[in-house]
Amino acid sequence: MNVARLIVVGAGIAGLAAAWSARRTAARAGVALDVLVLERGREVGGKARTIVRDGWMVEGGPSGFLGGRPELDALLRASGLVDDAVPARAAAKRRFLYRAGRLREIKPSPLGFARSGIMSVGGLLRLGAEPLIPRSSRTDDETVWAFAARRLGRQAADRLVSPMTLGIFAGDARKLSLASAFPKMARLEREHGSLIRGLIARRGQTSSGPLTSLRGGMQSLPRKLAEHGGFRVRCDAAVRRIDRTDTGWTVSIEGDGTALEADAVVIATEPWVAASLVRPLDASAADALGAIPCPPVTVVALGFDSSARARIPDGFGVLISRGEDIRMLGNLWETSLYPGRGPAGGILVRAMFGGAVDESIGALDEAEMLTLARREVAQLYRLTAEPVFEHVVRLERAIPQYVVGHALRVAAVERAVESMPGLAVTGFGLRGVAFGDAAADGVRTGDDLGRRLATHRTGSSACL
Ligand SMILES: Cc1cc2nc3c(=O)[nH]c(=O)nc-3n(C[C@H](O)[C@H](O)[C@H](O)COP(=O)(O)OP(=O)(O)OC[C@H]3O[C@@H](n4cnc5c(N)ncnc54)[C@H](O)[C@@H]3O)c2cc1C
């Protein structure tokens, strides 16, 4: 049997998904693929990092994903984790905003929302007039804030859309590209002329599945995939350089000077690392990858005993409007969301800091972060109870920002990759920041490469 060699750089979910799907696709075409994943860190998972300590389970990165994606379902099956998927409790539907010194529930009904005090009467009237606002003829890459202000009014842009953008991207709505960050919103306007009309027309057609996590935490998927995926993983192996040869590629590892040969290579690292690996091969793709900002995020998990229950609502969590004298971007109420996140009766709050609106957070050390988080959590909930558990995860560069011009950067990377057969780039820096997006992009990338390698090996095509 023909054996081709594939090296994947990076054992985050995108890299592992690419490794698994490339091997599967090639095998289906009768070509055995020897796949090696090289990972800089000590363990697999990348941003998906689950810490279990003293009866608490803390996610350092993603805490859940939107279910119903076929690629993610396939990865769960391959990892033997289908029965470990846990949907979020019904309480997860309750979402809150902290504004003008108070926690306010974002009620789904128009009357409930109007009464929440999140927006003024003028702001509500402007929001309600959205279906009357004509479709835009703009052809430039509009920011999320400009789009929201145009369609929903400036107040909704500031008080609803900006905190939501912080919640999803730790991003600045005034800088992110609507088309790249929220393509579904752009499509609603394009297809229905209005967000409200579009949402009404699509009522009942869910575009995404339920919010889901895994019993053993999010890192259990990368761990199990690495175990059962049919490929090899080498940790503590940082790739320093990738070179083209007459017959394929060599991948050089930092430190020991090892250079491994491969027929194809997938780069599945964060975009700034991909930029440095691609630079000797294609400067324009490297410039495009290097121009994707990745600000720092610090996650502080605070666990409380049941005495805090009266002060911390049951729900998904709270987003904090800017200008509230609180530095946190928001909190997730992990023990309300999923089972097994803390000891019986315990309440786990995950506070997020930093992002594109507060890059200086990266300068605070662990002790300073704990002091800040304790103070702000106490202020937010008017809480006197002291935390019984604490854990800090500092990410120097966390979530890629799809700022204006992102689509052009992705196109530059795709053009470069197209011109270098046997090379692929995947990961959350390019076509979707969510865990499910990264997983799906990895599966598609591996699938495509596996097919090309198989076609090439079986002689049906001279080109990869
Ligand atoms: C704080 C935070 C919270 C999040 N919350 C959510 C959430 O609730 N829901 C959701 O859907 N998404 C969430 N996300 C996004 C989600 O984590 C990502 O979409 C996903 O984990 C990215 O996977 P990836 O494989 O693309 O990248 P990564 O996980 O970053 O993997 C890249 C890997 O490449 C490795 N690497 C880097 N350089 C080298 C090198 N030179 N050689 C070898 N290996 C290298 C890295 O060590 C890393 O393991 C969150 C992200 C963060 C940071």
Side-chain angles (χ1 to χ4, degrees):
M1 201 182 194
N2 264 318
V3 180
R5 285 156 308 169
L6 170 67
I7 290 180
V8 177
V9 187
I13 191 61
L16 297 168
W20 170 78
S21 72
R23 184 183 164 277
R24 180 187 66 158
T25 303
R28 283 179 176 167
V31 172
L33 199 53
D34 174 40
V35 185
L36 173 63
V37 182
L38 298 171
E39 166 56 45
R40 174 174 42 202
R42 287 202 154 163
E43 48 181 335
V44 302
K47 300 295 166 291
R49 183 119 313 171
T50 306
I51 300 107
V52 178
R53 182 160 64 81
D54 304 334
W56 301 87
M57 183 187 286
V58 175
E59 297 289 4
S63 67
F65 55 88
L66 292 174
R69 291 189 81 133
E71 298 92 347
L72 215 39
D73 289 345
L75 293 177
L76 289 172
R77 276 196 302 277
S79 313
L81 286 176
V82 173
D83 294 336
D84 284 47
V86 277
R89 290 180 46 228
K93 292 211 167 63
R94 295 183 68 208
R95 300 186 180 217
F96 291 73
L97 201 63
Y98 185 78
R99 227 200 85 67
R102 267 186 49 203
L103 281 175
R104 298 163 194 275
E105 186 169 354
I106 310 171
K107 298 266 189 186
S109 74
L111 194 62
F113 180 70
R115 285 189 179 144
S116 68
I118 292 170
M119 292 182 62
S120 68
V121 174
L124 286 167
L125 289 173
R126 175 62 183 82
L127 180 64
E130 193 271 342
L132 308 175
I133 307 295
R135 190 188 267 122
S136 166
S137 53
R138 286 180 71 150
T139 50
D140 62 333
D141 196 6
E142 197 176 19
T143 66
V144 171
W145 190 89
F147 171 86
R150 180 169 62 72
R151 293 229 56 91
L152 307 166
R154 296 171 73 95
Q155 199 177 89
D158 286 336
R159 296 188 187 178
L160 291 176
V161 176
S162 294
M164 180 186 89
T165 308
L166 277 173
I168 298 173
F169 283 86
D172 186 344
R174 288 179 182 266
K175 293 188 182 150
L176 294 191
S177 149
L178 178 86
S180 297
F182 294 111
K184 284 182 190 162
M185 270 210 236
R187 209 175 309 130
L188 280 180
E189 183 186 43
R190 225 174 24 248
E191 292 174 5
H192 300 272
S194 146
L195 299 181
I196 294 178
R197 276 207 306 272
L199 288 173
I200 291 171
R202 292 180 176 200
R203 210 165 27 191
Q205 310 167 19
T206 44
S207 57
S208 52
L211 182 63
T212 305
S213 192
L214 298 168
R215 213 171 298 284
M218 292 293 284
Q219 202 179 351
S220 58
L221 177 56
R223 280 189 181 133
K224 291 287 176 192
L225 194 54
E227 232 173 281
H228 302 296
F231 50 84
R232 291 176 293 136
V233 181
R234 193 168 142 196
C235 289
D236 290 318
V239 170
R240 183 173 52 81
R241 199 183 157 89
I242 299 170
D243 289 290
R244 279 175 104 165
T245 64
D246 291 343
T247 52
W249 302 87
T250 54
V251 176
S252 308
I253 298 175
E254 257 169 36
D256 63 2
T258 312
L260 304 167
E261 298 200 345
D263 298 290
V265 177
V266 175
I267 300 175
T269 65
E270 301 89 341
W272 72 90
V273 181
S276 71
L277 294 176
V278 163
R279 174 126 348 247
L281 306 168
D282 187 300
S284 63
D287 289 344
L289 286 160
I292 300 169
C294 295
V297 166
T298 298
V299 180
V300 182
L302 298 180
F304 295 90
D305 65 23
S306 56
S307 65
R309 187 161 301 283
R311 307 258 16 120
I312 302 175
D314 198 18
F316 182 85
V318 56
L319 291 168
I320 295 154
S321 292
R322 293 301 83 194
E324 288 292 328
D325 198 23
I326 287 192
R327 216 167 155 180
M328 286 186 299
L329 307 179
N331 289 175
L332 285 157
W333 302 324
E334 298 287 339
T335 34
S336 277
L337 286 175
Y338 304 111
R341 266 45 183 172
I347 297 169
L348 185 64
V349 174
R350 216 161 54 116
M352 319 297 280
F353 290 86
V357 294
D358 187 9
E359 300 210 21
S360 58
I361 205 76
L364 299 195
D365 66 21
E366 197 170 316
E368 290 166 325
M369 283 309 310
L370 276 173
T371 306
L372 177 64
R374 275 191 220 122
R375 190 179 66 234
E376 294 201 339
V377 166
Q379 178 185 345
L380 193 67
Y381 306 108
R382 300 192 175 99
L383 193 65
T384 49
E386 291 288 324
V388 294
F389 169 84
E390 297 171 332
H391 191 90
V392 180
V393 178
R394 293 169 69 237
L395 297 164
E396 209 179 307
R397 294 200 243 187
I399 302 180
Q401 302 292 303
Y402 293 2
V403 294
V404 165
H406 185 76
L408 294 175
R409 288 187 267 281
V410 174
V413 175
E414 288 175 347
R415 259 195 319 275
V417 162
E418 201 52 46
S419 72
M420 290 184 274
L423 184 74
V425 182
T426 182
F428 73 149
L430 295 176
R431 292 168 282 258
V433 291
F435 185 81
D437 297 328
D441 202 67
V443 169
R444 285 193 296 266
T445 302
D447 205 28
D448 183 52
L449 210 51
R451 199 173 307 115
R452 286 178 192 227
L453 279 166
T455 315
H456 183 61
R457 279 283 153 152
T458 50
S460 12
S461 165
C463 311
L464 257 181

